[in-house]
Amino acid sequence: MVDTDSSSDLFQRARAVTPGGVNSPVRAFRAVGGTPRFIRSAQGAWLTDVDGNDYVDLICSWGPMLLGHAHPEVQAAVADAVGRGTSYGAPTEPEVELAEEMVARTPIDSVRFVSSGTEATMSAIRLARGFTGRDVVVKFAGCYHGHVDALLAEAGSGVATLAIPGTPGVPESATGLTLVLPYHDRAAVTAAFAEHGDRIACLVTEAAPGNMGVVPPEPGFNEFLARTCAEHGALFVSDEVMTGFRASKHGQWGLDGALEGWRPDLMTFGKVMGGGFPAAAFGGRADVMAHLAPEGPVYQAGTLSGNPIATTAGLVTLRLADDAVYDHLTKAGDVVKQAATEALSEAGVPHVVQSTGTMFSVFFRGAPVRDFRDASDQDTAAYAAFFHAMLDAGVYLPPSAYEGWFLSSAHDDRAIQTVVDALPGAARAAAEARA
Ligand SMILES: *Cc1c(COP(=O)(O)O)cnc(C)c1O
């Protein structure tokens, strides 16, 4: 057993002054039990906790650290920027450069920066409603778009149930205009648009769901969504906060829209484009974006939006994220996926590995996951045992069975070998814990 005394002490202090001891729920390890590790530093593919334990990081800050931690060129650019002050409340050059970089790499015509993915989807929906003059928003069960009131709706039963709030504190008035459908269910989409089409402002979807584990959209599914929206005068909002600049150089859109010849009306971004800082964005069609203040009537603003440190980190990250980076993620991912499959098969643990581009996750169930109902049917007890065995062996996986495993260009042979070596023991632990 690794020593976790300092993490335990900090967790106790944290719980006295912060609800649950954490500033984002999944960090508390509730789904897997045990003591959350407080991280002191990180370098490349490795995290070091406050007790001095090292872990290969398979979270990468839940996606952003595409180049690994403390990348020297990102660090240098950030240090340089910090030396010139950290926030002015006035426009800056890095914002322009990052916007140009994003417009060049995606199908959007223009982009507005915000500070979190939540803000990005919230603002995109406001813009869609303002642009169309309609109120209803369609989303899919199991897709996460940040903690926006209107998008925290759970699926009701049936084909297209007007949603009930998914958490206390969100009034029905906030979710009453949100329609939640099962992912991949074309008939449900068609039925919802047939019934409510002239009231639907937008359909918002994760470009490839990554927040119930990775569920690659079936070929043509996003195209079908884009077409259905267009037929009904609704906007297609593709949330690429997780997949953007991660699933491929051009995000999930690079894997489907770019090949099939369609583009979303609006897109949201975050994670990788912030280079490890609080930065996110929404962008899209020029005529839609022109409705935003100060050009148009839809209000949206932010004290720290386009912050020069965050946009500098994002810009350097994107400029360094070339084909070689994505090739490396593909190769390293293939090794980890293969090793996980072998170890879990050998131990007799039912599992499915699913990928989209360079993103992947391992589900603890025997059959493929197409929607949230499938994703919810996993052996979470087996996953908890697996997670802790990996952690004890120096590999930091997401503390939840509903998340992707993230790699970086800094995951070198030593880091990957550490993961590969840890897998057989963890698979045996999972087998013993099977529900
Ligand atoms: C992480 C995420 C968000 C929310 O971003 P925050 O910066 O955590 O608010 C929204 N959408 C998707 C698809 C995400 O993965």
Side-chain angles (χ1 to χ4, degrees):
M1 274 309 241
V2 294
D3 176 13
T4 58
D5 289 353
S6 300
S7 280
S8 296
D9 287 350
L10 274 174
F11 192 40
Q12 205 176 336
R13 281 170 56 196
R15 273 184 299 192
V17 289
T18 299
V22 293
N23 287 299
S24 201
V26 72
R27 296 179 196 168
F29 276 25
R30 289 277 170 101
V32 291
T35 306
R37 306 302 198 262
F38 282 64
I39 304 304
R40 186 176 59 204
S41 64
Q43 181 69 57
W46 297 82
L47 299 171
T48 303
D49 71 14
V50 289
D51 291 286
N53 304 304
D54 293 327
Y55 308 93
V56 178
D57 183 10
L58 292 189
I59 295 186
C60 291
S61 186
W62 302 94
M65 310 318 297
L66 188 78
L67 307 176
H69 297 283
H71 187 285
E73 284 176 63
V74 179
Q75 297 283 91
V78 164
D80 184 56
V82 167
R84 285 179 272 117
T86 56
S87 183
Y88 318 120
T92 63
E93 187 172 3
E95 293 165 78
V96 182
E97 293 191 308
L98 180 57
E100 287 170 347
E101 181 76 29
M102 290 176 64
V103 165
R105 264 165 93 144
T106 68
I108 60 174
D109 296 321
S110 72
V111 61
R112 168 67 57 84
F113 292 124
V114 292
S115 299
S116 71
T118 296
E119 255 187 284
T121 55
M122 180 185 80
S123 306
I125 282 166
R126 181 183 309 141
L127 179 56
R129 285 171 162 162
F131 179 81
T132 58
R134 301 171 175 182
D135 290 338
V136 173
V137 171
V138 180
K139 78 173 286 281
F140 292 109
C143 280
Y144 180 67
H145 303 289
H147 59 100
V148 180
D149 278 358
L151 299 179
L152 277 178
E154 277 179 354
S157 58
V159 173
T161 319
L162 280 171
I164 50 155
T167 166
V170 177
E172 271 181 54
S173 58
T175 52
L177 295 167
T178 307
L179 221 45
V180 184
L181 308 178
Y183 193 69
H184 269 144
D185 190 337
R186 292 186 187 217
V189 173
T190 301
F193 274 85
E195 192 178 345
H196 306 285
D198 57 354
R199 292 178 58 212
I200 297 174
C202 63
L203 178 148
V204 55
T205 184
E206 286 190 62
N211 285 287
M212 51 174 148
V214 174
V215 179
E218 284 166 4
F221 184 62
N222 281 329
E223 182 181 24
F224 160 77
L225 298 178
R227 198 176 56 237
T228 303
C229 286
E231 281 164 5
H232 291 87
L235 300 189
F236 179 46
V237 183
S238 182
D239 183 348
E240 293 237 26
V241 170
M242 181 179 281
T243 50
F245 315 109
R246 162 67 71 178
S248 84
K249 191 174 179 182
H250 308 284
Q252 176 63 31
W253 178 81
L255 302 172
D256 50 28
L259 309 175
E260 295 162 359
W262 54 268
R263 62 177 195 159
D265 300 299
L266 287 174
M267 299 178 79
T268 54
F269 302 95
K271 298 196 167 97
V272 169
M273 59 139 293
F277 283 82
F282 62 105
R285 263 166 54 187
D287 60 324
V288 178
M289 293 301 285
H291 272 62
L292 265 191
E295 220 173 324
V298 178
Y299 188 70
Q300 188 280 329
T303 303
L304 293 176
S305 292
N307 173 270
I309 313 305
T311 47
T312 295
L315 178 65
V316 178
T317 298
L318 289 193
R319 284 187 176 160
L320 289 169
D322 58 10
D323 292 335
V325 164
Y326 296 96
D327 284 350
H328 178 84
L329 293 178
T330 301
K331 292 202 180 93
D334 285 347
V335 174
V336 171
K337 287 186 279 187
Q338 174 84 21
T341 301
E342 277 172 15
L344 290 165
S345 302
E346 179 75 16
V349 180
H351 66 281
V352 190
V353 178
Q354 294 190 182
S355 318
T356 188
T358 70
M359 270 171 48
F360 67 96
S361 68
V362 181
F363 292 94
F364 279 60
R365 80 195 296 266
V369 173
R370 290 183 73 247
D371 59 20
F372 189 47
R373 213 177 49 184
D374 294 341
S376 304
D377 177 26
Q378 288 191 74
D379 189 338
T380 50
Y383 183 77
F386 180 79
F387 167 86
H388 276 291
M390 292 295 281
L391 197 62
D392 286 346
V395 179
Y396 194 105
L397 285 172
S400 158
Y402 301 93
E403 305 285 354
W405 297 13
F406 293 100
L407 298 172
S408 78
S409 58
H411 282 69
D412 57 9
D413 290 347
R414 185 171 75 94
I416 296 298
Q417 194 58 47
T418 303
V419 177
V420 169
D421 291 344
L423 283 165
R428 286 192 294 275
E432 274 164 34
R434 270 183 69 191

